[in-house]
Amino acid sequence: MASAVVTPARRQQLVRFFLVGVFAASIQQALLWLFNDVGGLNYILAAAIAIECTILLQYVLNNAWTFHRSQHSDLREYVVGLGKTNLVRGTAIPLQLGLLYAFVTWGGVVPLVGNGAAIVITGLYRYALDAHWTWG
């Protein structure tokens, strides 16, 4: 029944959003490792910086590929869209960092594992808001 509600275009959009997310999550994990393990930053601060870097990356990729039908093409649309995605994804940062903290502190996992789990959990939230507000 759910497949009857999801159009082929929406399914393609969700797959593209997922692929961009997987790529960005890989970059985010690499940045977290670099900032925390190599640079010695606290894992929460390192994660926050890595998240913001990948917010910018995902906007560029999602605008060009995932949401190409409603792409922000002129400068004003692009800047407004970037602001919207930062608001959308910015609201997910406390959720992701809170989950990361909980996984590391109470779950006993290393930051990279905790961050990976937090990315997955907050992914659908980010998609729903971006699909309907940033490019809706």
Side-chain angles (χ1 to χ4, degrees):
M1 178 148 195
S3 64
V5 175
V6 178
T7 65
R10 179 66 70 174
R11 187 175 304 116
Q12 180 187 46
Q13 189 179 73
L14 185 56
V15 167
R16 288 180 176 193
F17 190 86
F18 173 78
L19 292 173
V20 168
V22 167
F23 176 71
S26 300
I27 299 299
Q28 189 179 122
Q29 291 288 75
L31 290 172
L32 174 58
W33 173 81
L34 181 69
F35 298 149
N36 179 241
D37 290 359
V38 176
L41 285 178
N42 171 278
Y43 73 94
I44 296 293
L45 178 59
I49 295 168
I51 291 167
E52 183 55 34
C53 290
T54 55
I55 285 172
L56 299 173
L57 172 65
Q58 287 179 78
Y59 177 73
V60 170
L61 296 177
N62 279 321
N63 188 60
W65 190 49
T66 306
F67 299 102
H68 65 280
R69 290 187 179 102
S70 55
Q71 180 179 77
H72 303 140
S73 53
D74 69 39
L75 181 60
R76 184 182 180 289
E77 283 181 332
Y78 199 85
V79 170
V80 168
L82 182 59
K84 284 182 173 183
T85 202
N86 260 288
L87 284 174
V88 164
R89 292 169 180 275
T91 64
I93 291 172
L95 298 172
Q96 187 173 336
L97 294 178
L99 288 167
L100 171 59
Y101 178 82
F103 292 142
V104 171
T105 302
W106 300 308
V109 300
V110 297
L112 286 174
V113 172
N115 194 56
I119 289 170
V120 170
I121 292 169
T122 59
L124 289 175
Y125 168 85
R126 291 186 310 268
Y127 172 75
L129 289 178
D130 259 345
H132 294 290
W133 193 56
T134 305
W135 285 279

